[in-house]
Amino acid sequence: MRVLPIALLSSSIAVACSHHSSPNGDDDNNDTAGPDAPLACGSDADCPTGEQCDPTSGTCLGGCGAQHLNLTYVPPNLGIVLDRSCSMTKELKGSNETKWEAAVGALTDVLTSYSTKVRWGMTMFPDNSGSACTQDAIPFPIADNNAQPIADRLQAALGSADPDYPDFPCVTPIDTGIEQAGTDPALLDTTRKSYLMLVTDGSQSGCSAGGSAAGAEAAVTQLFSQGVATYVVGFGSEVDGKELTTLANDGGVPNTMGSNAYYAADTAAELDSVFQQIASNVVSCTYAVDQAPPDLDETYVVFSGNTLVPRDQTHMDGWDYDPTAMTLTLYGNYCSELETGVVVDFDVLFGCPTPPIF
């Protein structure tokens, strides 16, 4: 399982000239020295990234990196679209555990693992109010701090007397489930990535209020055109593989590592692994900045004080800046190094005509 190291949440951005400030806004120098006084040092390690210690004066000189501002991690949106049709009460082959119990356990695990790294939401289909084939209000619109409340709701639904226990109605309206999830206002937030994760053990059945299978495909296609990708998870041996393949491809994030375009799981352990993989895939390497770089040609991302990350406007392997959202995002191997903890700190520096790497 890949997680973002805590240190990344206090990463910093450095701006040009000679003002030295700590991440909390306090000057690093003594108050009597004034805000523009150079830092005292004994070696280069005592100086901000991009500056060197002058042995004659014992101060940090020559740098463009000085004032450090906080970078704020921007978690992605991920809405769970969960099948609670009656077939979820069937036992898994070779197990005493039902598909519902396995799904609740795997979802609880991923909600716990990624509680702050993802903004979670959830809708279940069919819901337990109104018409069997249409959905009422989204029970958990995507928001901060949703992981534990969703996990608690799922745990409660393990009891057969709970309203969310999958025993009624016995239909599978994938079409209106996706349509309902797609109305979540959080999916319109252009400052972060947004995704849905459809989890089903069967196929569209008993309903056509949302256009049946064709309606589900149209809904997923429309969401993708709006920048919201849909992961598709098929659980158990009774899924409609052909339809899930179509939905997975329409959703824009098919499984490229397996034999199916959708993410297939036949056991509780496989389902847990799939959920962890999808959460890991969506975890962001995006950070909000509170000051826009004045010149991207003189902006530098530095890993661990000595590795210059290239700017990559193709978003394959490097960094890029979104001036509309005021966010900086890392891509490819550089993002992976942050996610896996290979790199635990980085700086963004601007205002230097040449890279501040010595």
Side-chain angles (χ1 to χ4, degrees):
M1 181 181 64
R2 302 189 302 174
V3 298
L4 283 173
I6 295 300
L8 290 183
L9 302 182
S10 60
S11 296
S12 58
I13 180 169
V15 299
C17 300
S18 59
H19 183 99
H20 300 277
S21 175
S22 64
N24 62 12
D26 296 330
D27 290 331
D28 292 325
N29 292 328
N30 295 328
D31 290 341
T32 56
D36 293 321
L39 280 174
C41 61
S43 68
D44 290 347
D46 298 328
C47 299
T49 301
E51 298 192 13
Q52 293 175 304
C53 186
D54 177 32
T56 302
S57 64
T59 57
C60 299
L61 299 175
C64 290
Q67 184 181 5
H68 289 253
L69 307 175
N70 288 332
L71 289 173
T72 304
Y73 172 66
V74 181
N77 293 323
L78 179 55
I80 302 165
V81 189
L82 178 61
D83 187 342
R84 58 169 293 279
S85 59
C86 295
S87 59
M88 290 291 281
T89 61
K90 293 182 179 180
E91 288 188 354
L92 288 165
K93 187 177 296 185
S95 168
N96 293 325
E97 188 174 35
T98 66
K99 288 185 280 187
W100 184 245
E101 290 168 337
V104 168
L107 284 171
T108 300
D109 285 348
V110 75
L111 287 163
T112 301
S113 299
Y114 290 84
S115 60
T116 60
K117 303 176 189 72
V118 172
R119 298 177 80 239
W120 293 96
M122 184 181 71
T123 190
M124 292 181 279
F125 65 91
D127 64 18
N128 51 40
S129 62
S131 168
C133 293
T134 60
Q135 301 287 105
D136 202 352
I138 299 174
F140 287 97
I142 295 169
D144 294 323
N145 305 314
N146 253 356
Q148 192 59 55
I150 292 174
D152 291 344
R153 178 79 165 260
L154 289 170
Q155 289 295 320
L158 290 172
S160 59
D162 188 86
D164 289 325
Y165 184 78
D167 59 357
F168 181 81
C170 289
V171 293
T172 310
I174 296 175
D175 52 1
T176 52
I178 294 173
E179 288 176 355
Q180 179 198 40
T183 65
D184 194 321
L187 300 179
L188 301 176
D189 183 353
T190 58
T191 67
R192 68 186 77 237
K193 296 289 187 180
S194 293
Y195 305 87
L196 295 180
M197 181 173 69
L198 170 66
V199 183
T200 181
D201 74 324
S203 61
Q204 178 84 22
S205 64
C207 293
S208 59
S212 199
E217 294 167 17
V220 167
T221 300
Q222 178 65 25
L223 284 165
F224 185 63
S225 73
Q226 296 170 349
V228 180
T230 301
Y231 286 90
V232 177
V233 180
F235 185 31
S237 59
E238 297 178 293
V239 299
D240 183 342
K242 182 179 179 181
E243 176 58 19
L244 294 190
T245 294
T246 299
L247 288 172
N249 286 322
D250 290 344
V253 280
N255 181 13
T256 59
M257 303 300 291
S259 57
N260 301 295
Y262 63 94
Y263 288 78
D266 290 321
T267 68
E270 288 175 355
L271 190 64
D272 188 271
S273 178
V274 163
F275 288 162
Q276 295 289 337
Q277 180 182 350
I278 290 172
S280 176
N281 287 348
V282 306
V283 162
S284 171
C285 283
T286 297
Y287 296 82
V289 302
D290 59 4
Q291 181 174 350
D295 185 349
L296 293 179
D297 290 333
E298 295 185 0
T299 301
Y300 309 99
V301 176
V302 182
F303 274 10
S304 304
N306 57 19
T307 299
L308 189 67
V309 179
R311 186 183 179 200
D312 180 10
Q313 293 176 274
T314 68
H315 299 176
M316 298 298 293
D317 200 32
W319 67 271
D320 200 11
Y321 177 72
D322 182 343
T324 302
M326 289 187 66
T327 55
L328 185 142
T329 302
L330 293 118
Y331 301 93
N333 290 329
Y334 296 101
C335 179
S336 297
E337 288 182 350
L338 291 177
E339 291 175 340
T340 57
V342 173
V343 172
V344 297
D345 66 273
F346 69 97
D347 287 322
V348 183
L349 302 95
F350 58 83
C352 302
T354 58
I357 302 294
F358 298 102

